[in-house]
Amino acid sequence: MEQNLKSEKKSNILANYNLSELESFLLDIIKPKYRIKQIFDAILQAKDIDELNIPKEMITKLSENYILKPLKIHTVLKSKDGTKKYLLQLNDGNIFESVFLTQNYGNTICLSTQVGCRMGCSFCASTVKGLIRNLTAGEMLAAISIINADNGQKTERNFSNIVLMGSGEPLDNFDNVTKFLYLVTDKNGFNLSERNISLSTCGLVNKIYDLMKLKLNINLCISLHASTDEIRQKIMPVAKAYSINEIVKAVFDYAKYTKRRVILEYCLIKGVNDSFDDCERLVKLFKNVLCHFNVINLNPKDDKQSPVTKKSAYAFVQKLNDLGLSATLRRSQGSDIEGACGQLKVKFEQNDEKNSKK
Ligand code: SAH
């Protein structure tokens, strides 16, 4: 982290820094030291600058040079199952989404890593307008803080898991995402265990190896969604850059090096990747690899692609199990509030366009 601070251009977003980093440059304008801890706590509690209990002249200096809160809640939608979907607005006006899911074992925050996405997967709403920009580590932390504060005591951690499965490709924003991982697991901060964080990638193989070398105890998830390169290339442009065989090798190496099982995500699209032949090919590819298949039914973004029936989804998972692969069907939460990636934002923008045309 210290190295990061030296090598990169200093950001004015305070959430980009841990406590000792803040102390290293704020002491010029904020004294004594304990006030910097107050500022650090205020970041984690998503407080506004006028809620800081420090002398006015220090607040003025702070606000002239730095940003305490880089985003605000634009809209919240609550699903019947308790899932809450947030549209968060950054200071430059850009909007991205994040989801708060309540589960028996604790609450999960699904976080975006980019505004938009440039990966172009055919089934995903996040990528429709391409990549707008990367989120910085501090903006991702601020999103976690504001959602945490909106779901219980501000001074407590009200979630136990984070999944980087919102809009964007985490490994396409590698430095900011890994820095965010350090910030959110910081003992002085949210102190979240690495084991309770899942990072999902469309399979940027070279970046998977870079991540592997960091030896983090996070869960790596790879969006596979196909059993042949031909099918994968039709729905995921990234498949033209990396073959399935390269992914299989990366999963094997990652699991061996980190001793952690890799999750393969498989979204069922009717008539595209849902046959028992697909199951057989998947088993041939992955039978000797430490992995688990998370199968999910498509949450359609338009009428070009459809999900399979519930019965077929269960049959697909059962077939994988019968052939010896570890696989489960993931329940989709919040579909009544546009739960799938980027869908709420797309809906919002469509409505906004309609309204502005009125
Ligand atoms: N860029 C990362 C994170 C994306 S979102 C990645 O590709 O993994 C997390 C998961 O949701 C991915 O597996 C993605 O393929 C899946 N997903 C995207 N749109 C979906 C949809 N409409 N229905 C079901 N799953 C979807």
Side-chain angles (χ1 to χ4, degrees), residues 272-287:
V272 175
N273 61 2
D274 58 337
S275 71
F276 284 165
D277 285 347
D278 288 300
C279 293
E280 279 169 17
R281 285 190 289 262
L282 291 174
V283 172
K284 272 196 196 121
L285 287 164
F286 288 96
K287 64 174 186 283

Side-chain angles (χ1 to χ4, degrees), residues 216-276:
L216 300 171
N217 279 316
I218 60 169
N219 306 300
L220 175 67
C221 310
I222 302 178
S223 299
L224 187 70
H225 305 328
S227 65
T228 67
D229 288 326
E230 200 192 346
I231 302 171
R232 200 162 188 263
Q233 283 169 14
K234 280 193 189 137
I235 54 175
M236 300 178 75
V238 68
K240 290 174 191 140
Y242 300 104
S243 68
I244 291 186
N245 280 335
E246 284 172 296
I247 291 186
V248 175
K249 182 162 187 318
V251 173
F252 182 84
D253 291 342
Y254 191 95
K256 195 172 166 200
Y257 189 79
T258 62
K259 303 198 171 50
R260 294 186 67 75
R261 181 177 81 159
V262 175
I263 305 287
L264 292 156
E265 294 166 281
Y266 198 97
C267 171
L268 289 167
I269 309 172
K270 194 174 170 185
V272 175
N273 61 2
D274 58 337
S275 71
F276 284 165

Side-chain angles (χ1 to χ4, degrees), residues 47-54 59 62-63 68-69:
K47 282 189 177 168
D48 288 307
I49 202 147
D50 53 12
E51 289 178 83
L52 277 176
N53 190 16
I54 59 174
I59 299 245
L62 192 71
S63 58
L68 184 73
K69 202 172 172 181

Side-chain angles (χ1 to χ4, degrees), residues 124-138:
C124 182
S126 303
T127 196
V128 173
K129 290 196 171 170
L131 175 67
I132 311 296
R133 74 165 173 89
N134 283 332
L135 290 176
T136 64

